[in-house]
Amino acid sequence: MISIEKSLKTYPNYPTRAFLLELEDVLGKNGLNALLRIAGLQEWIDTYPAENFEREVDLSEFSSLNAGLDEIYGSKGSHALARRASKSAFDLTWKQQGALGNQQIEDFDSLPTQARNKEGLTIFAEVLSAASDLECEVQEKNNIILFRVQNCPVCWGRESSSPTCQGFVGLIEGCLQWLGSGEGFEVTEKECSAAGGDACTFSITEESVG
Ligand SMILES: [Zn+2]
């Protein structure tokens, strides 16, 4: 069983719940229960985190879930599942439940794509940081947008030989989709705390054509 020491840092209930619901959809209830047992999260088997933004999930619980996915499905299968589930979690929570609701997407419509992506991701980084103990920041270097995360919920307390936070890549992809940039952009984890990096850092680049 996976055992990651409590971080005493928090992530909100709702996006965790949405991540679990999507996994349940793909894995079935039995598959999800097996995952929760391996992750040491038996208490969630019948009771998912609540449908609210209370900060009741420890980062170690969310990262145990992702570590459990790796253990059961291997990193490749696990990464695909985590990416899909977190993209769905963006849609169900950050987009639909009003967390980003005060920001009308129309505000961005007149901006060129790169500026729109940067503005939108910056707002998401601020909302996510305010709603949790994550410290997110968006930078732009040489025309490449970088999304940096300290206290990453996917890899907290974990070690990996290579970047492992596809469970965060999906959130950024969900945000890009919300911004109308769902196609044509690639999100890549360049640096990962679990692989010795200072932070988990994701680059957002235009997909090369051809
Ligand atoms: Zn990470």
Side-chain angles (χ1 to χ4, degrees):
M1 194 172 82
I2 287 150
S3 169
I4 298 175
E5 202 177 325
K6 284 265 184 288
S7 67
L8 304 180
K9 295 180 193 297
T10 55
Y11 195 57
N13 288 335
Y14 210 139
T16 309
R17 178 188 182 86
F19 189 77
L20 290 170
L21 287 172
E22 177 66 17
L23 288 177
E24 183 189 326
D25 207 38
V26 179
L27 306 176
K29 188 73 182 151
N30 288 341
L32 182 63
N33 289 352
L35 171 64
L36 290 171
R37 279 192 205 95
I38 279 195
L41 297 166
Q42 289 89 333
E43 71 271 25
W44 286 356
I45 285 181
D46 294 313
T47 315
Y48 295 164
E51 217 167 326
N52 61 40
F53 282 88
E54 297 291 312
R55 295 160 59 160
E56 292 175 330
V57 177
D58 191 276
L59 296 187
S60 66
E61 294 175 313
F62 199 84
S63 67
S64 293
L65 203 54
N66 284 272
L69 279 174
D70 264 20
E71 195 155 310
I72 299 178
Y73 299 99
S75 63
K76 201 169 170 203
S78 152
H79 284 173
L81 284 164
R83 186 172 162 190
R84 173 175 168 166
S86 60
K87 194 169 177 185
S88 167
F90 180 89
D91 284 350
L92 281 173
T93 58
W94 302 112
K95 188 170 96 178
Q96 287 187 20
Q97 299 303 321
L100 295 169
N102 295 332
Q103 187 67 43
Q104 293 302 315
I105 187 76
E106 293 83 52
D107 292 354
F108 300 130
D109 271 356
S110 55
L111 296 173
T113 309
Q114 176 84 351
R116 190 178 65 214
N117 289 349
K118 189 180 174 199
E119 285 294 310
L121 286 165
T122 299
I123 285 165
F124 178 47
E126 287 167 1
V127 167
L128 193 51
S129 301
S132 70
D133 282 318
L134 277 60
E135 293 171 19
C136 306
E137 183 187 14
V138 171
Q139 304 166 341
E140 189 175 5
K141 280 185 187 159
N142 304 325
N143 265 338
I144 294 174
I145 298 172
L146 296 173
F147 196 110
R148 273 171 69 84
V149 185
Q150 302 273 10
N151 303 336
C152 170
V154 179
C155 69
W156 175 270
R158 298 174 59 196
E159 282 183 21
S160 173
S161 55
S162 56
T164 194
C165 304
Q166 292 293 310
F168 206 95
V169 166
L171 281 181
I172 296 174
E173 288 176 337
C175 189
L176 287 171
Q177 194 165 346
W178 170 66
L179 294 164
S181 298
E183 302 290 329
F185 290 88
E186 200 163 17
V187 181
T188 310
E189 189 176 21
K190 294 299 215 190
E191 187 191 14
C192 177
S193 298
D198 290 336
C200 294
T201 304
F202 305 85
S203 69
I204 293 96
T205 50
E206 257 185 278
E207 268 171 7
S208 47
V209 181

